[in-house]
Amino acid sequence: MKNNKQEIETYINSLKGYEGYVQFSDRPIEDIWTQKSDINVNAKDGFVYEAHFCNGTESISIKQINDSWFVSTTDISNISDEDTQVYHAFEKNVKMAQIWGEVADEFCEGMKVQKIKKVVFVGFIKGDSK
């Protein structure tokens, strides 16, 4: 889904029961929701550069590309713990998941192999920072 600046702010502010963060163009990452909440942002003088949200079953990624914002939604309800990793960012433990898919591989005589399709935000790890 492609959006303009006002549409993306309205969309983000419509999210209910999500955790995540927003990176604005004019300031460091300070809009962080480490527990499921109703999201409310105000871009002030900048614009949403990137944002990631998760409600436990759906991961939302928002990226600014040229004059538009691209929104990607991924079903994460069947992600196994084997496909998740924890990273330390902005003084939080961030959990990300790898989404795999079968594709034909020319180096395996055209047989289908599992390859990473994308990596998505799946929440914050509660507790002490590492």
Side-chain angles (χ1 to χ4, degrees), residues 51-82:
H52 296 275
F53 300 100
C54 178
N55 67 0
T57 58
E58 172 180 75
S59 178
I60 299 171
S61 172
I62 299 170
K63 299 196 187 296
Q64 185 262 333
I65 302 171
N66 297 327
D67 65 341
S68 299
W69 283 260
F70 180 72
V71 178
S72 174
T73 304
T74 304
D75 176 9
I76 58 166
S77 59
N78 295 318
I79 300 295
S80 72
D81 282 341
E82 294 174 347

Side-chain angles (χ1 to χ4, degrees), residues 55-118:
N55 67 0
T57 58
E58 172 180 75
S59 178
I60 299 171
S61 172
I62 299 170
K63 299 196 187 296
Q64 185 262 333
I65 302 171
N66 297 327
D67 65 341
S68 299
W69 283 260
F70 180 72
V71 178
S72 174
T73 304
T74 304
D75 176 9
I76 58 166
S77 59
N78 295 318
I79 300 295
S80 72
D81 282 341
E82 294 174 347
D83 292 329
T84 63
Q85 302 81 37
V86 176
Y87 301 95
H88 191 71
F90 32 87
E91 300 181 17
K92 308 272 184 260
N93 290 320
V94 179
K95 191 173 181 182
M96 304 292 285
Q98 296 175 341
I99 307 299
W100 295 81
E102 281 190 353
V103 295
D105 189 322
E106 66 179 291
F107 299 111
C108 292
E109 298 183 0
M111 291 187 296
K112 294 195 180 233
V113 297
Q114 291 286 325
K115 295 208 177 187
I116 290 182
K117 295 172 82 177
K118 60 182 160 179

